[in-house]
Amino acid sequence: EGLVGNPLSAHPKVDMPSSADDDACNGKRLVTYGYRAKPSVAAVTSGRGLFDSDLMLYEFDEAWRAVRKRSVSLEGFAFVHDFVVTQHYVLWFQNPCDFDPLPFVLGLKNPAQLISYDPGRPTKIHIVPREPASGRKQRCVSIPACFVFHHARGFEVADGQAGEEAIIVDSVVLEAFPAFDELTRPPDDSERAALKALDFHAVPTNRFVRFRIDLASSDDAAVSQTTPRLRAVEFPCTGAVPPRAPHRYVYGACVAHASLNNPFQGVVRIDMQTAEEVLHFPGPRRFTNEPVFVPRAWPLSEDDGYLLVLVYDAEGSRSGLYIYDAREIEAGPVGIAWMRWPVPYGLHGSFVPNETFGVL
């Protein structure tokens, strides 16, 4: 297919139509995208930075054939780590950021430190039809400046004709991009003094937000937002939801304080309709990573399954896989599989070359 070597997102999505959908013949698809920033004279002369962006949307069938490949061009530098897939659309949230590679080339900064955030510009939501021949139009709507790393899930509400749907998106939203210059430890900080001195309350807070995008409205009125809880969260996932159906619950790693930022030390399930939250905290100096939902073989409800969470126990220098009944998170894990070796606390996952952590 000529795709070898092309960049791909870390967050592909699986989409599967029901027999009643208008695209039922397509079958199950894996939807993902690649991203490239390209130097642009037009971007420089218009004052939008050094780069414009090219996204390449891919859809693979179950035989791994690229049955759809489509280029999408965006003005400006687009920091898009994740995206949303619904029945008829893909959505990217373009954060108001710029990128300057020169300090990295000179060996002065790491890649995360090259990104700057401009709170004076809006965050843009790009809504792109998966099938251009459907008659649906690509749109871009703006919301007040914020930063989005991860989305939990999205779905459509067919209130009107094609192209006039409402799209519901649940995301983790930061009030601003973190200042990595302040979060990065110096190489000689062997006693972790810089880390211990960090004021976590000053770090931008991640919170669950539900967006409703009404495609029948004008651009200025198309988006509404609700924040069910002020608790800081990250790494969202959803449960046993039928393909393309609405969901109610979102799971994530969370902090202990109800509104201030801290390290993630708990697991939360938030009802995005009622704002009810269900929590469990493994204990002091235990830190939670990304939860993964595993449905039972024949789930009877959205929360009928297990939540798997890798927890790092700093006191005992060990890691364990916590297994929760997703219907009763507050009851604590139904089992813990302690690992032979600790897994360093990290983002999404960890890789150590030439090292075996052993069996559970």
Side-chain angles (χ1 to χ4, degrees):
E1 295 285 353
L3 303 182
V4 176
N6 286 357
L8 289 177
S9 164
H11 293 278
K13 315 295 182 186
V14 175
D15 179 57
M16 184 169 61
S18 70
S19 58
D21 289 334
D22 55 11
D23 59 346
C25 62
N26 288 344
K28 185 185 293 186
R29 296 277 181 89
L30 184 140
V31 187
T32 186
Y33 68 96
Y35 167 80
R36 294 184 190 275
K38 58 179 183 181
S40 168
V41 174
V44 174
T45 56
S46 65
R48 60 175 181 260
L50 300 175
F51 298 93
D52 284 328
S53 302
D54 281 337
L55 304 176
M56 182 63 73
L57 178 67
Y58 301 100
E59 296 196 21
F60 296 92
D61 64 13
E62 293 186 78
W64 286 104
R65 292 185 294 260
V67 294
R68 184 171 292 161
K69 181 180 177 183
R70 181 183 175 194
S71 177
V72 179
S73 296
L74 303 181
E75 291 185 347
F77 174 69
F79 191 143
V80 285
H81 176 71
D82 197 0
F83 75 139
V84 178
V85 176
T86 68
Q87 179 176 352
H88 299 109
Y89 299 95
V90 293
L91 295 88
W92 285 280
F93 284 55
Q94 184 178 4
N95 303 297
C97 294
D98 292 314
F99 180 75
D100 181 5
L102 184 58
F104 177 75
V105 174
L106 297 176
L108 302 176
K109 292 185 176 182
N110 66 49
Q113 294 174 294
L114 307 178
I115 300 170
S116 59
Y117 179 79
D118 183 358
R121 287 159 37 197
T123 294
K124 297 180 179 179
I125 305 175
H126 299 275
I127 307 149
V128 180
R130 292 173 60 183
E131 176 51 71
S134 67
R136 295 174 172 87
K137 296 180 180 180
Q138 180 171 334
R139 291 184 61 180
C140 177
V141 296
S142 296
I143 59 176
C146 62
F147 191 91
V148 180
F149 268 124
H150 297 119
H151 305 284
R153 188 173 176 270
F155 59 89
E156 295 175 23
V157 180
D159 291 336
Q161 299 178 349
E164 297 183 356
E165 301 90 349
I167 303 175
I168 308 298
V169 177
D170 289 337
S171 307
V172 174
V173 178
L174 289 86
E175 52 211 359
F177 184 67
F180 279 95
D181 281 338
E182 300 173 8
L183 299 178
T184 303
R185 279 175 50 199
D188 58 351
D189 187 24
S190 59
E191 300 299 322
R192 298 184 176 90
L195 182 62
K196 293 175 182 178
L198 178 65
D199 180 9
F200 274 95
H201 296 174
V203 177
T205 303
N206 323 39
R207 295 188 173 103
F208 283 139
V209 173
R210 170 159 284 193
F211 296 92
R212 180 184 173 93
I213 306 167
D214 188 353
L215 298 183
S217 299
S218 64
D219 290 350
D220 292 340
V223 185
S224 61
Q225 304 181 40
T226 56
T227 304
R229 291 278 179 168
L230 296 179
R231 189 181 304 276
V233 296
E234 246 300 356
F235 309 125
C237 68
T238 53
V241 186
R244 299 178 173 176
H247 66 266
R248 180 171 182 170
Y249 302 124
V250 177
Y251 303 86
C254 71
V255 306
H257 197 280
S259 59
L260 297 177
N261 215 348
N262 278 302
F264 298 124
Q265 292 190 270
V267 182
V268 63
R269 184 190 74 196
I270 293 187
D271 187 326
M272 299 301 288
Q273 296 179 8
T274 67
E276 176 193 24
E277 63 176 1
V278 179
L279 303 146
H280 182 260
F281 298 96
R285 299 197 67 194
R286 294 190 178 186
F287 302 92
T288 51
N289 266 292
E290 180 175 15
V292 176
F293 186 95
V294 180
R296 286 183 172 87
W298 301 104
L300 300 177
S301 61
E302 185 176 334
D303 57 354
D304 192 8
Y306 297 95
L307 205 65
L308 309 183
V309 184
L310 189 64
V311 176
Y312 177 65
D313 175 11
E315 187 72 33
S317 188
R318 59 179 181 167
S319 296
L321 183 67
Y322 278 51
I323 305 167
Y324 292 89
D325 185 330
R327 298 168 300 185
E328 299 177 334
I329 292 176
E330 71 278 12
V334 297
I336 304 174
W338 291 106
M339 304 184 71
R340 180 180 295 180
W341 302 104
V343 178
Y345 189 70
L347 178 66
H348 289 315
S350 301
F351 172 76
V352 179
N354 303 320
E355 185 76 28
T356 302
F357 289 113
V359 297
L360 297 178

